[in-house]
């Protein structure tokens, strides 16, 4: 709303690259994920600036995009995603399941990772529909050779169930607070 999303996102990318260098100097190897606004995903000037920051940095960054960002302008979004991936950035579909997810969408968007929305994960032990959605999304993602991240993992029982389903990446309070 303030018109500062581009400057903030560019700053975040530069900071993530610096933070990752610091972590590596201390022996910690970890990818850093950054949310990218749908508006920025299709902005050619932002893409050039982001790639200029990233190229040659050796950083392991993941750009998280929402389904709706891609649905609004699928052709331009797909081209942008391909450009980011060609440069070595990974793409994650954030909040998967909350938008207009279709199998065609998963086929067309070459994301390397799918993040299952917390609205399914949090209730999966109490709600059979949520459990089936989580199980089938994990199976589908693995079949498409994509990584899966479960969002909103707040209890060890949920974490244990996800491990049993072969979902080995999670985020939530059972691991630690947002950082």
């Amino acid at each position: 709303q303030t018109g500062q999303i581009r400057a903030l996102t560019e700053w975040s990318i530069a900071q993530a690259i610096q933070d990752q260098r610091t972590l590596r100097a201390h022996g910690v190897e970890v990818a850093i994920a950054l949310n990218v606004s749908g508006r920025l995903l299709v902005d050619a000037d932002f893409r050039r600036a982001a790639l200029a920051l990233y190229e040659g940095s050796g950083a392991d960054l993941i750009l998280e995009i929402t389904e709706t960002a891609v649905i609004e302008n699928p052709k331009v979004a797909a081209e942008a995603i391909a450009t980011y991936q060609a440069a070595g950035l990974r793409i994650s579909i954030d909040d998967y399941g909350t938008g207009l997810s279709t199998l065609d969408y998963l086929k067309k968007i070459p994301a390397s990772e799918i993040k299952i929305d917390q609205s399914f994960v949090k209730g999966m032990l109490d709600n059979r529909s949520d459990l089936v959605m989580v199980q089938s999304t994990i199976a589908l993602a693995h079949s498409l050779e994509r990584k899966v991240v479960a969002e909103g993992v707040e209890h060890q029982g949920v974490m244990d169930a996800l491990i049993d389903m072969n979902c080995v990446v999670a985020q939530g309070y059972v691991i630690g607070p947002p950082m």
Side-chain angles (χ1 to χ4, degrees):
Q1 292 175 342
T2 64
Q4 297 301 308
I5 194 68
R6 179 175 168 192
L8 178 60
T9 306
E10 288 175 10
W11 176 87
S12 296
I13 291 170
Q15 188 64 48
I17 291 168
Q18 182 57 46
D19 289 348
Q20 198 167 61
R21 282 187 190 126
T22 301
L23 288 167
R24 283 182 176 157
H26 290 89
V28 178
E29 279 292 326
V30 62
I32 298 178
L34 301 144
N35 290 87
V36 175
S37 157
R39 243 180 279 152
L40 291 180
L41 180 66
V42 296
D43 181 327
D45 290 333
F46 169 77
R47 187 166 45 252
R48 281 189 287 279
L51 291 173
L53 288 166
Y54 174 75
E55 289 175 346
S57 70
D60 184 6
L61 300 181
I62 303 166
L63 300 182
E64 295 185 3
I65 58 171
T66 60
E67 298 171 60
T68 52
V70 176
I71 291 168
E72 289 174 9
N73 198 338
K75 185 174 187 278
V76 176
E79 291 169 3
I81 289 169
T83 301
Y84 287 124
Q85 287 183 316
L89 287 156
R90 290 187 281 159
I91 301 295
S92 178
I93 299 173
D94 196 15
D95 301 330
Y96 181 78
T98 61
L100 302 172
S101 310
T102 67
L103 296 178
D104 188 52
Y105 169 77
L106 284 177
K107 182 175 80 172
K108 289 180 181 175
I109 302 305
S112 55
E113 177 180 279
I114 297 170
K115 293 183 79 175
I116 304 171
D117 188 71
Q118 64 180 327
S119 63
F120 299 105
V121 174
K122 284 182 177 180
M124 70 182 218
L125 297 182
D126 301 319
N127 183 309
R128 179 162 164 47
S129 294
D130 286 346
L131 178 63
V132 170
M133 294 298 286
V134 171
Q135 287 174 320
S136 61
T137 301
I138 292 169
L140 178 63
H142 287 168
S143 296
L144 294 171
E145 298 180 352
R146 298 186 186 174
K147 291 183 180 180
V148 183
V149 177
E151 297 179 311
V153 181
E154 296 184 358
H155 304 286
Q156 190 61 46
V158 171
M159 178 67 107
D160 293 341
L162 289 165
I163 291 169
D164 288 345
M165 290 182 237
N166 202 26
C167 180
V168 296
V169 182
Q171 66 183 57
Y173 282 99
V174 76
I175 298 161
M179 295 179 264

